[in-house]
Amino acid sequence: MAAEAEETEELAWSRETIPRVMKIACARLPQRDLVSLLLVSPWLHRTLASYPSLWLVLDLREMTNAGNRLLGALSLPRYRQVKRIDLEFAQDIEDKHLESLENEYSESLKSLETLNLNGCQKISDKGIAAVTSCCPNLKVFSIYWNVRVTDIGIKHLVENCRHLVDLNLSGCKNITDKSLELVADSYNELQSLNLTRCVKLTDIGLRQILFKCSSLQSLNLYALSSLTDNAYNNISSLSHLKYLDLCGAQNLSDDALSCIAKCGKVVALNLTWCVRITDKGVIAVAEGCVSLEFLSLFGIVGVTDKCLEALSTTCSNTLTTLDVNGCIGIKRRSREDLLKLFPHLKCFKVHS
């Protein structure tokens, strides 16, 4: 009887406890490692595949034959509740694959919240129209470095996905102010927007965003040298803003920066190569953004030790990253000098 009881207990252990432990352990694994575990044994394959919570992410980053891999994965029952698909720099993903999703696997994308198409340069407006038609609950969309997508693709996006809070259009050189108008009219609750190197944008489009997307916490305007104070002045309306990248804002003046400094919650500010800025603008930042943790003044020759003294007065307890390389007007630029002013500094150089 004792032996029989022990055998029963071992059987219960193998049927109940081991699978539960496997679920907990596997939940911490990268998805690619999880997929590899499926090959260990039929029992492990059945066990892992039976837990939907393990298959909420589909990671095809940098993979070859990604289009066919995507279709193959979404044909499997375990991916029917997928919430995030990552195709960043994946190869061989084209419009035809996204159109197949629309035709064959649209039900599998109903719960999708995050879609990363960064570097997928064969995707055009047609592909955007197809895939977004399947994703009514999409919240995060990223399509960095795509020169085929135009305002037409953004029109499909805003029509199909009404709940976006994070949008990355970095490097989409063919979108215009029309796209920003569509985004501004559709996403009043947008929290993060990246417009890096979207070179066709003007003050008109950006002002639409600033007037209507008042919930923005992160705004990236890197390398948009054509923008002027007519737009920058209105950044002050973003009362929730925490991260602002103005690298290369060649037309940004001290007066406009003083307006931006009214965004008192800003913790990260990139002013690299904002060549018109002087102590006046940085002192305004020091007085307005007292929770600043990251500041780059790289390449600005018009600032001096005076602005560092102002920053030290208000931000010495918060600032952990400060780049003043190339600021020839600042004489006390050594690591030792900066640590005297900002004792919590950990990073002294943002740009190599």
Side-chain angles (χ1 to χ4, degrees):
M1 292 293 292
E4 185 175 335
E6 185 177 343
E7 184 178 341
T8 301
E9 186 176 339
E10 289 182 0
L11 185 61
W13 173 270
S14 63
R15 287 181 175 177
E16 300 175 15
T17 306
I18 292 179
R20 286 202 298 268
V21 171
M22 289 296 299
K23 179 183 178 182
I24 294 171
C26 290
R28 301 173 181 272
L29 291 177
Q31 202 231 6
R32 294 186 187 185
D33 293 341
L34 188 61
V35 171
S36 298
L37 282 178
L38 296 175
L39 305 176
V40 172
S41 72
W43 174 83
L44 192 55
H45 187 289
R46 289 193 302 272
T47 300
L48 297 181
S50 68
Y51 295 121
S53 61
L54 295 178
W55 307 101
L56 300 179
V57 175
L58 180 53
D59 182 4
L60 298 173
R61 287 172 298 166
E62 301 181 3
M63 284 194 173
T64 58
N65 196 28
N68 291 330
R69 289 176 188 265
L70 175 65
L71 296 176
L74 292 178
S75 70
L76 302 173
R78 65 176 182 266
Y79 283 114
R80 286 180 184 165
Q81 297 179 44
V82 65
K83 290 186 177 294
R84 178 162 66 89
I85 295 177
D86 194 340
L87 288 158
E88 186 168 73
F89 292 104
Q91 300 177 39
D92 312 309
I93 175 78
E94 303 177 17
D95 287 340
K96 64 181 182 181
H97 298 111
L98 301 186
E99 290 173 324
S100 293
L101 289 183
E102 180 184 19
N103 296 329
E104 301 175 37
Y105 306 115
S106 60
E107 286 301 314
S108 297
L109 300 180
K110 295 298 183 185
S111 299
L112 192 69
E113 295 180 355
T114 300
L115 178 59
N116 186 339
L117 295 176
N118 287 346
C120 298
Q121 297 187 22
K122 294 182 180 180
I123 302 300
S124 72
D125 294 333
K126 187 187 298 186
I128 299 302
V131 71
T132 57
S133 70
C134 311
C135 311
N137 294 304
L138 198 66
K139 295 180 180 179
V140 179
F141 182 65
S142 187
I143 191 164
Y144 158 78
W145 199 24
N146 185 305
V147 296
R148 295 192 179 193
V149 170
T150 71
D151 296 336
I152 296 173
I154 303 306
K155 183 174 185 293
H156 289 301
L157 173 68
V158 301
E159 288 175 349
N160 294 327
C161 307
R162 307 297 299 176
H163 307 291
L164 227 59
V165 294
D166 189 327
L167 178 59
N168 184 354
L169 299 174
S170 173
C172 295
K173 297 182 178 181
N174 285 314
I175 67 168
T176 71
D177 288 339
K178 179 61 179 177
S179 285
L180 294 195
E181 180 183 344
L182 291 167
V183 169
D185 288 340
S186 304
Y187 300 132
N188 298 144
E189 300 302 315
L190 195 66
Q191 296 177 15
S192 179
L193 178 62
N194 191 332
L195 299 173
T196 293
R197 298 189 188 280
C198 294
V199 294
K200 293 186 178 181
L201 302 182
T202 72
D203 289 345
I204 295 172
L206 181 57
R207 289 177 69 183
Q208 290 288 314
I209 294 291
L210 300 176
F211 289 145
K212 298 179 181 179
C213 299
S214 58
S215 297
L216 275 173
Q217 297 180 27
S218 176
L219 180 60
N220 195 318
L221 303 175
Y222 185 103
L224 297 181
S225 58
S226 62
L227 298 179
T228 74
D229 285 357
N230 289 330
Y232 295 135
N233 284 330
N234 300 117
I235 293 178
S236 61
S237 65
L238 302 180
S239 59
H240 302 286
L241 193 65
K242 295 181 178 180
Y243 175 89
L244 179 61
D245 192 337
L246 293 171
C247 176
Q250 298 177 11
N251 298 317
L252 178 68
S253 72
D254 284 330
D255 289 339
L257 185 55
S258 298
C259 288
I260 293 170
K262 296 175 184 177
C263 300
K265 294 182 180 179
V266 169
V267 296
L269 179 60
N270 187 357
L271 297 175
T272 298
W273 293 119
C274 293
V275 293
R276 293 182 61 195
I277 297 304
T278 70
D279 286 336
K280 177 184 175 182
V282 180
I283 290 172
V285 170
E287 294 172 348
C289 304
V290 295
S291 299
L292 207 59
E293 299 173 10
F294 172 107
L295 177 64
S296 177
L297 302 175
F298 182 92
I300 303 179
V301 299
V303 294
T304 71
D305 293 280
K306 185 177 179 181
C307 76
L308 290 193
E309 291 166 3
L311 286 166
S312 178
T313 300
T314 57
C315 304
S316 63
N317 291 325
T318 59
L319 207 60
T320 58
T321 298
L322 176 63
D323 192 345
V324 292
N325 289 285
C327 300
I328 59 176
I330 294 177
K331 304 308 178 184
R332 294 183 294 170
R333 282 184 287 150
S334 71
R335 181 182 295 259
E336 293 73 21
D337 287 334
L338 293 176
L339 280 172
K340 289 177 183 178
L341 295 171
F342 309 100
H344 299 287
L345 276 186
K346 297 177 181 178
C347 181
F348 301 82
K349 190 174 184 179
V350 176
H351 306 273
S352 59

